[in-house]
Amino acid sequence: MNSEKFGILYDYTNCVVKLQRLALRAVSIQLMKSIWISNAWGADQSAYAFLIGGTFLKVIHITNSNRDAFLLEAKPCVMALGFFDGVHLGHQAVIKAAKRVADEKKLPLVIMSFFPHPKEVLSNGKKIVSYLMPLVDKQKKFKALGVEIFYMVQFNFEFAGLTPKQFVQNYLLDFGAQQIVAGFDFTYGCRGEGNMDRVQADSDGRIESIK
């Protein structure tokens, strides 16, 4: 290869590298704009944007202490509820059903899940749950299914003590749920007394449910 051709190749390669660096820098800036750091849940980030395929999934960790702050951002939505560990075909069917409703109503699709597993908390740590899927993989699955916001609520004894009506008010209505979708066996509230058949009553007729 003569020196002229080598010079052209070098300039082209150098230009591509610079463009790649500029693109990465732009992504980094966008990520920094979307990250909000809080010590509300240990040293973890309470909210962050997870970049997948050029678009963002907003992940928000809800705790007793930061719930009110995030209510300011809540908007009308269709919400899928569940633990969704593994995001297996049954879970995907629930999320896809919620996505169809969200598209029909022209509303964002939101998932609300819970961590740690209720069995771990209610057994005082005596039962250790082996999770099937790392959180980052779960987030990728959610984004691929059209989810825009992922609320992960801290499950603790205070949360477990909410009455069914309190749960519906504080975590469904307050976070904008207009319609919810969950598996037939989904329960909520103290001792799991709430179920999909009583959501409408617990919401005073303001939320429709699909199971």
Side-chain angles (χ1 to χ4, degrees), residues 2-62:
N2 60 41
S3 60
E4 183 179 353
K5 288 183 178 178
F6 180 80
I8 292 171
L9 179 60
Y10 176 81
D11 288 344
Y12 173 78
T13 303
N14 200 33
C15 181
V16 169
V17 170
K18 286 180 179 178
L19 286 172
Q20 289 174 336
R21 286 175 179 170
L22 285 171
L24 286 172
R25 188 178 300 169
V27 169
S28 297
I29 291 170
Q30 184 61 38
L31 278 170
M32 289 304 295
K33 285 180 180 177
S34 64
I35 291 176
W36 182 79
I37 306 294
S38 170
N39 290 324
W41 196 350
D44 295 334
Q45 296 169 357
S46 289
Y48 54 92
F50 189 78
L51 181 64
I52 308 171
T55 57
F56 289 99
L57 168 68
K58 190 170 185 179
V59 182
I60 300 175
H61 297 257
I62 302 297

Side-chain angles (χ1 to χ4, degrees), residues 124-152:
N124 287 313
K126 294 177 182 177
K127 291 184 179 179
I128 304 300
V129 175
S130 297
Y131 298 103
L132 302 175
M133 179 177 284
L135 179 60
V136 66
D137 292 340
K138 182 184 286 192
Q139 291 169 345
K140 289 178 182 178
K141 290 272 192 180
F142 288 165
K143 185 58 185 173
L145 291 165
V147 177
E148 295 182 34
I149 300 174
F150 172 27
Y151 289 122
M152 188 157 60

Side-chain angles (χ1 to χ4, degrees), residues 49-138:
F50 189 78
L51 181 64
I52 308 171
T55 57
F56 289 99
L57 168 68
K58 190 170 185 179
V59 182
I60 300 175
H61 297 257
I62 302 297
T63 70
N64 299 333
S65 59
N66 71 15
R67 189 191 75 92
D68 290 347
F70 285 116
L71 292 182
L72 300 174
E73 301 179 26
K75 297 178 181 179
C77 65
V78 173
M79 186 181 289
L81 291 159
F83 200 79
F84 299 118
D85 189 24
V87 197
H88 58 59
L89 292 178
H91 296 152
Q92 291 178 39
V94 169
I95 298 169
K96 287 177 181 178
K99 175 62 174 171
R100 287 192 293 271
V101 176
D103 289 345
E104 289 170 5
K105 293 180 176 289
K106 294 181 171 52
L107 292 173
L109 173 58
V110 170
I111 280 183
M112 181 172 285
S113 191
F114 314 95
F115 188 86
H117 197 287
K119 288 182 180 178
E120 289 191 48
V121 175
L122 298 178
S123 69
N124 287 313
K126 294 177 182 177
K127 291 184 179 179
I128 304 300
V129 175
S130 297
Y131 298 103
L132 302 175
M133 179 177 284
L135 179 60
V136 66
D137 292 340
K138 182 184 286 192

Side-chain angles (χ1 to χ4, degrees), residues 157-177:
F157 282 108
E158 184 175 341
F159 180 80
L162 294 174
T163 67
K165 197 171 184 70
Q166 285 174 326
F167 169 78
V168 170
Q169 178 63 60
N170 296 349
Y171 288 91
L172 302 188
L173 288 170
D174 282 0
F175 280 92

